């Protein structure tokens, strides 16, 4: 490619194909490979006699994530209050490596506080750090804290009062990553189908913060920037991809 690099593409593909032609009848070799980008594989690789059997491995659901967490916490001393099912439900889309990262982060946080056991608090903190970014040490005026508090209360109230929404798990105005506050909902189970009513409720929850600011202060702020971005993306998908116009 331009400017150098180590892109091999055709050379690698041709080498693989020549090795897999299988002219020697005395050798039986099974070639196993893995990719997270099956869409870019050359069709020549997937012809019969080559990589002709495909096993699709989906991301684990929360029950599988709970079992994975049990594996990664085998050598870590956990306190009696730890409920791995709660952590598993709060980590949708995470793979085994991600979950191992959560456990390691929790152990580090507990060690920093000279604790001999990892309790639920440290697992929650580790999950928040990985999902939302590290806690930011920054000075925020009382007025801005108040705006953030009402904003997050708006999200939480709409999520609590609308039927069929995911239960509210945590509300915080501690700045993390790029956010000044977070309202976290915890689905009771992994979802594979999203009804239109559920998605409309999600749009309402996302906009609850902006509405709360408007009702309480008679003014709006830039705090809803990320909410509006997510609302735009979700509503666009509803209309353009899922025919919910």
């Amino acid at each position: 490619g331009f400017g150098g690099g180590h892109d091999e593409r055709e050379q690698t593909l041709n080498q693989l194909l020549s090795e897999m032609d299988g002219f020697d009848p005395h050798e039986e070799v099974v070639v196993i490979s893995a990719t997270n980008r099956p869409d870019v594989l050359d069709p020549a690789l997937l012809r019969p006699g080559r990589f002709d059997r495909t096993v699709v491995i989906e991301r684990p659901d929360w029950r599988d994530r709970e079992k994975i967490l049990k594996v990664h916490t085998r050598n870590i001393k956990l306190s009696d209050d730890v409920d791995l099912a709660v952590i598993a439900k709060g980590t949708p889309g995470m793979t085994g490596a991600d979950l191992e990262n959560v456990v390691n982060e929790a152990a580090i946080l507990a060690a920093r506080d000279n604790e001999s056991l990892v309790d639920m608090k440290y697992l929650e903190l580790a999950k928040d750090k990985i999902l939302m970014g590290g806690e930011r040490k920054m000075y925020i005026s009382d007025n801005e804290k108040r705006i953030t508090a009402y904003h997050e209360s708006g999200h939480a109230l709409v999520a609590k009062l609308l039927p069929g929404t995911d239960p509210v798990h945590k509300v915080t105005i501690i700045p993390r990553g790029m956010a000044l506050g977070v309202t976290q909902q915890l689905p009771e189970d992994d979802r594979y189908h999203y009804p239109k009513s559920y998605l409309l409720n999600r749009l309402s929850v996302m906009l609850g913060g902006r509405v709360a600011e408007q009702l309480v202060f008679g003014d709006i702020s830039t705090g809803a920037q990320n909410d509006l971005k997510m609302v735009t993306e979700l509503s666009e998908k509803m209309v353009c991809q899922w025919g919910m116009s």
Side-chain angles (χ1 to χ4, degrees), residues 3 25 34 36-38 45 57 70 88 116 123 147 150 155 165 174 202 214-215 226 229 238 245:
N36 55 6
R37 291 295 310 278
L45 269 178
I57 299 174
K70 283 178 181 173
S116 56
L123 282 165
I147 293 171
Y150 273 107
H155 289 309
T165 56
I174 295 172
R202 277 194 64 175
Q214 214 160 5
L215 287 172
N226 193 49
K229 182 184 174 188
M238 287 173 71
S245 163

Side-chain angles (χ1 to χ4, degrees), residues 156-181:
L157 275 171
V158 177
K160 183 78 176 166
L161 296 173
L162 279 177
T165 56
D166 295 325
V168 177
H169 176 61
K170 179 187 292 182
V171 185
T172 175
I173 60 166
I174 295 172
R176 284 187 173 277
M178 299 300 290
L180 290 174

Side-chain angles (χ1 to χ4, degrees), residues 84-95:
L84 293 177
V86 172
I87 301 297
K89 286 181 180 179
T91 50
M94 280 199 178
T95 60

Side-chain angles (χ1 to χ4, degrees), residues 9-22:
R9 293 194 192 185
E10 275 71 30
Q11 297 95 304
T12 312
L13 177 64
N14 290 333
Q15 182 70 18
L16 268 170
L17 295 178
S18 63
E19 291 290 342
M20 291 167 68
D21 271 340

Side-chain angles (χ1 to χ4, degrees), residues 77-79 81-82 110 117-124:
K77 293 178 181 176
L78 301 176
S79 68
D81 73 332
V82 169
L117 297 174
V118 174
D119 61 17
M120 201 65 179
K121 176 182 78 174
Y122 293 112
L123 282 165
E124 284 284 354

Side-chain angles (χ1 to χ4, degrees), residues 47-93:
R47 287 190 189 127
R50 291 170 181 166
F51 290 109
D52 53 0
R53 176 159 300 190
T54 307
V55 179
V56 178
I57 299 174
E58 294 289 346
R59 288 170 185 266
D61 64 17
W62 77 262
R63 294 166 189 82
D64 295 330
R65 290 196 295 273
E66 185 182 4
K67 291 170 187 170
I68 291 168
L69 284 167
K70 283 178 181 173
V71 170
H72 291 310
T73 53
R74 274 185 307 201
N75 300 323
I76 291 175
K77 293 178 181 176
L78 301 176
S79 68
D80 295 334
D81 73 332
V82 169
D83 187 351
L84 293 177
V86 172
I87 301 297
K89 286 181 180 179
T91 50

Side-chain angles (χ1 to χ4, degrees), residues 24-209:
D24 190 342
H26 303 296
E27 287 186 17
E28 292 184 4
V29 178
V30 177
V31 183
I32 300 174
S33 66
T35 180
N36 55 6
R37 291 295 310 278
D39 51 309
V40 298
L41 291 180
D42 192 293
L45 269 178
L46 306 176
R47 287 190 189 127
R50 291 170 181 166
F51 290 109
D52 53 0
R53 176 159 300 190
T54 307
V55 179
V56 178
I57 299 174
E58 294 289 346
R59 288 170 185 266
D61 64 17
W62 77 262
R63 294 166 189 82
D64 295 330
R65 290 196 295 273
E66 185 182 4
K67 291 170 187 170
I68 291 168
L69 284 167
K70 283 178 181 173
V71 170
H72 291 310
T73 53
R74 274 185 307 201
N75 300 323
I76 291 175
K77 293 178 181 176
L78 301 176
S79 68
D80 295 334
D81 73 332
V82 169
D83 187 351
L84 293 177
V86 172
I87 301 297
K89 286 181 180 179
T91 50
M94 280 199 178
T95 60
D98 297 320
L99 294 168
E100 185 180 13
N101 200 12
V102 170
V103 173
N104 288 343
E105 190 65 43
I108 290 167
L109 292 170
R112 278 185 190 154
D113 290 349
N114 292 319
E115 295 286 345
S116 56
L117 297 174
V118 174
D119 61 17
M120 201 65 179
K121 176 182 78 174
Y122 293 112
L123 282 165
E124 284 284 354
L125 284 170
K127 185 188 76 175
D128 288 350
K129 183 175 181 183
I130 287 162
L131 285 175
M132 297 180 280
E135 193 177 313
R136 281 192 290 165
K137 304 293 182 188
M138 56 189 290
Y139 174 76
I140 303 173
S141 68
D142 289 342
N143 184 49
E144 290 208 313
K145 281 181 187 171
R146 192 162 174 263
I147 293 171
T148 306
Y150 273 107
H151 184 101
E152 296 306 327
S153 301
H155 289 309
L157 275 171
V158 177
K160 183 78 176 166
L161 296 173
L162 279 177
T165 56
D166 295 325
V168 177
H169 176 61
K170 179 187 292 182
V171 185
T172 175
I173 60 166
I174 295 172
R176 284 187 173 277
M178 299 300 290
L180 290 174
V182 176
T183 299
Q184 189 181 22
Q185 292 171 265
L186 206 60
E188 291 172 333
D189 213 335
D190 288 18
R191 288 177 177 268
Y192 301 100
H193 291 93
Y194 295 93
K196 183 180 178 182
S197 57
Y198 173 83
L199 295 173
L200 288 172
N201 283 348
R202 277 194 64 175
L203 293 177
S204 302
V205 172
M206 289 178 201
L207 293 170

